[in-house]
Every structure is written in structure tokens, then in C-alpha cells.
Amino acid sequence: MGKSSKDKRDLYYRRAKEEGWRARSAFKLLQLNEQFELFKGISKVVDLCAAPGSWSQVLSRELYEVQKNPNGQIVAVDLQPMTPINGVTTLQADITHPKTLQRILDEFHGELADFVCSDGAPDVTGLHDLDEYIQAQLILSALQLTTCILKPGGTFVAKIFRGRDIDLLYSQLSYLFEKVICAKPRSSRGSSLEAFIVCLNYRPRPEWVPKLELDKSTEEFFEDANIGKSKNLEFLDLPNDERVIAKFIACGDLNDTDSDATYTLEGRREVLDPIQMPTSPPYKQALEMKRRGALVRNK
Ligand SMILES: C[S@@+](CC[C@H](N)C(=O)[O-])C[C@H]1O[C@@H](n2cnc3c(N)ncnc32)[C@H](O)[C@@H]1O
């Protein structure tokens, strides 16, 4: 789809450019916040998988312009480099590597975060099962990192794809958070399996000290958290069921733009430039090779 048709077909894409957001994803976080008041009282924030940075822009505006919070601090992490954003420390790092956790902790000087979000999406291979597996691993990595850095009482929000075994994830999360909700913002295409888990009031087992180590499996990591085991759950007062169906909430104004609809542009019709071009996109090398005439088509 060309730039012009995308501007017409996806009004969130166009609105993002009009309002100065680097990506249309900004509206997803804004609509989640409208529904759940996620930003109330937050100071220390971690934005995982943050590039090109529209969620960090939303968080920066909230902390520094709306709340005028002198103690506000935002750390944004992505594999890709990010163009600077006011008040946001950007780390080019892999969220699946334990060293990344240490880098974030160093930035916070030992303090814990009130809010961690992850909009992570791996590069798709086109092999459905493999893509689903890699996405699930990325969410687990985000969750592991979150358990090491989130304050009790804090909030975790992450993108998920509602695949076959998603209820197991809800179940695991229910052992760690008081409330787990599956939310679908209006700006997230209805035709996509994408949704967001909103996990409120972090309450890990008090004796559990999560520790990220390179050669530790996810199972070993959560061993003492007793996720999915009922014997140590008295303090959580949860039912013994292993599978949990999270409440599903559609959020955002129903009269607002439909992300699956095609609109006719009223008035101004010019195609707007993106706010922030990718700093180092994966296709950069291919474009350079094409310019040099070094990209040849296989006959
Ligand atoms: C949909 S984009 C995020 C958009 C962002 N929330 C925004 O509003 O601009 C997904 C991002 O996940 C990042 N990502 C995927 N795997 C990652 C990993 N292991 N560590 C860090 N970032 C990762 C990608 O580089 C990509 O920038």
C-alpha cells in the first residue's frame, strides 16, 4: 500500500502524522490509558521494544507536560536505535538479555518502576507457528524483566496475539497481578489478533526474588514464584484452576475512527511525511544495494 492510499485507508496513520506521533501505535496506549487510567501516579517508567518511539512520546508528554513530575524518569529499550525524545533515556539493547535489565536498573539507581510496557513484535518469518512461538517468547522475556524491576502495586501492559494457548499466559499472570484484563483499543485493527494485556497491582509471592540469568530457562526462573502451582497460593486466594479466561474489554470511543474502515479525506488531501523515519531500518542495506545497482533479480 502506497503512502497516499495508506493516508486514506488508515486514518490513525494519518492522524499520527498530523498530531506529531512517530507511529499510529500512540493511539493504542492513549486509548488503553483512557480506559484504565494507567498513568495515574506513575514516575519511573520502562518502555520495552520502544522504537520508533510513539509510546515513549505519549509517556514523555504525560510525565513532563501533563503531570510536570520533577521525579519522572523514562527508559526506552529497543534493538533498533531511536531518535532522542525529551526526557527519555534510550538504550539500544535486546530485552531478552539479562545485561539489559542491569542497564535499566543502573539508570534508575536502584529504584523500581511504577509502570512497564512492551509493544514488542519480532520480525515475522511468515511461518505462522514459528511466529506465534517467537512472539510468545518475547512476551515471556518482557514479563521476566518486568518482575525484576516493577514495584509491588505496579502496572504491566504488553502486546499479545490471542493465539491458541493464550489462556495459559492469563493464568500465569493472574498469580503475579491482582487483575489481568485483555484489552482491544479501537485503534488496533479488529481484523488482527493483536490485543493488550493490562496487568494491575503487581503482587509477587513475598519470598520470591526473581533473578535473570543467561542459562536459566523460563521454567527455572519462575520456579519459586509458584506460577501455576496451587500449594503456595493461600496468600493470593485464587481458585485452583490452571486456565484463566481474562476479561475482554474493547476500549476507545466507539464513535472514533474505525481502524478497519476506508475513509474519504475531507478538505486537506495532501500526503503528509512521516514524523520520524526509521534510523536504521532492516531494509536499509537493500535500498543502498539497489541504488548502487548491486541488487539483481534471480532469473
Ligand atoms: C511495533 S514496534 C514498537 C512500536 C512502539 N511501541 C512505538 O510506539 O513506536 C515493535 C518493536 O519491537 C522491537 N523488538 C523486537 N524484539 C526485540 C527485542 N528482543 N529486544 C528489544 N526490542 C525488540 C522491534 O525492534 C520493534 O521496534
Side-chain angles (χ1 to χ4, degrees), residues 80 277-291 295:
Q80 307 293 332
M277 296 302 281
T279 316
S280 178
Y283 49 81
K284 191 174 170 186
Q285 193 187 357
L287 287 178
E288 272 163 18
M289 286 171 74
K290 192 173 172 197
R291 217 168 291 130
L295 206 61

Side-chain angles (χ1 to χ4, degrees), residues 25 49-55 78-80 93-95 119-121 138 159:
S25 325
C49 302
S54 77
W55 281 24
D78 202 286
L79 288 173
Q80 307 293 332
D94 183 348
I95 69 154
D119 190 23
L138 195 61
K159 172 153 73 193

